[in-house]
Amino acid sequence: MVRWAVRGLVSLVILALVAIGALFLLSDRELHRAWPIRASSLHVTSTPERVAEGERLATVMGCRDCHGADLTGRLFFDEPQIARIWGPNLTRLVPNYTDAQLDVLLRQGVRPNGQGVLIMPSNAFATLDDREISALIAFVRSKAPTGEARPPPAYGLVGRIGLIIGQFATEPA
């Protein structure tokens, strides 16, 4: 009887480990899915007026809610079972992107490698015209790189289940 109980327990542990492994693989597949990119040819010309308009838009659009008052990023979601998410440090990140890549990231929610971002309100930025997006980019580019790079999102078990069942989705989805 004890032997059967031990075998049953070992079987349950193995089944749980396989299920957790599958959960991580399926959620990683969703997080790393490649999305088509609608090409952009946006090129930003920075002027003091455009930077000022970009600063106004950054306030109106809520950029500082996730990226912090100085755009160096901040922890804005911290529920370990779901996720721990930092807004990226834009002063360090933006110099690595072209204007066209930033346009695609802002309006389509897709990184240059084709992966979608999870928490970026691209649907709101998609309504902005080229002049407004250019102003936002000019404003962020006007900031000297400062602070440290923020860690990538860390997803907990509940968050990963949410990704698989469609409760949470990347922006392009």
Side-chain angles (χ1 to χ4, degrees), residues 18-33 82 118 155-170 173:
V18 168
I20 290 171
L23 176 70
F24 274 77
L25 287 173
L26 290 171
S27 61
D28 272 352
R29 186 180 75 184
E30 183 62 29
L31 288 169
H32 296 99
R33 180 193 302 187
I82 300 171
L118 189 61
Y155 302 102
L157 193 60
V158 174
R160 287 182 177 273
I161 291 169
L163 282 164
I164 292 170
I165 65 172
Q167 187 68 29
F168 308 120
T170 59

Side-chain angles (χ1 to χ4, degrees), residues 1-164:
M1 185 73 135
V2 171
R3 219 161 79 202
W4 281 102
V6 169
R7 284 183 184 167
L9 184 60
V10 167
S11 296
L12 285 175
V13 168
I14 290 171
L15 183 60
L17 290 173
V18 168
I20 290 171
L23 176 70
F24 274 77
L25 287 173
L26 290 171
S27 61
D28 272 352
R29 186 180 75 184
E30 183 62 29
L31 288 169
H32 296 99
R33 180 193 302 187
W35 294 91
I37 297 173
R38 290 185 313 275
S40 169
S41 59
L42 187 75
H43 178 71
V44 175
T45 303
S46 184
T47 64
E49 296 78 24
R50 188 163 280 168
V51 169
E53 175 63 5
E55 183 171 15
R56 184 191 73 77
L57 284 168
T59 301
V60 170
M61 299 300 291
C63 299
R64 291 182 167 114
D65 294 341
C66 298
H67 298 287
D70 58 359
L71 304 181
T72 60
R74 72 176 196 86
L75 180 64
F76 69 90
F77 190 85
D78 192 12
E79 292 291 333
Q81 291 299 315
I82 300 171
R84 182 175 170 90
I85 302 174
W86 285 83
N89 180 339
L90 295 181
T91 69
R92 294 242 177 247
L93 187 67
V94 165
N96 300 317
Y97 289 80
T98 67
D99 295 338
Q101 289 171 331
L102 288 170
D103 180 29
V104 170
L105 181 65
L106 287 169
R107 292 199 258 196
Q108 297 174 44
V110 181
R111 294 181 184 97
N113 66 3
Q115 292 177 1
V117 293
L118 189 61
I119 301 185
M120 171 67 196
S122 294
N123 57 340
F125 288 93
T127 63
L128 300 179
D129 62 29
D130 286 354
R131 182 188 54 77
E132 292 167 319
I133 289 293
S134 292
L136 271 172
I137 293 170
F139 166 63
V140 176
R141 287 200 187 283
S142 75
K143 300 294 183 189
T146 187
E148 59 191 61
R150 301 301 179 191
Y155 302 102
L157 193 60
V158 174
R160 287 182 177 273
I161 291 169
L163 282 164
I164 292 170

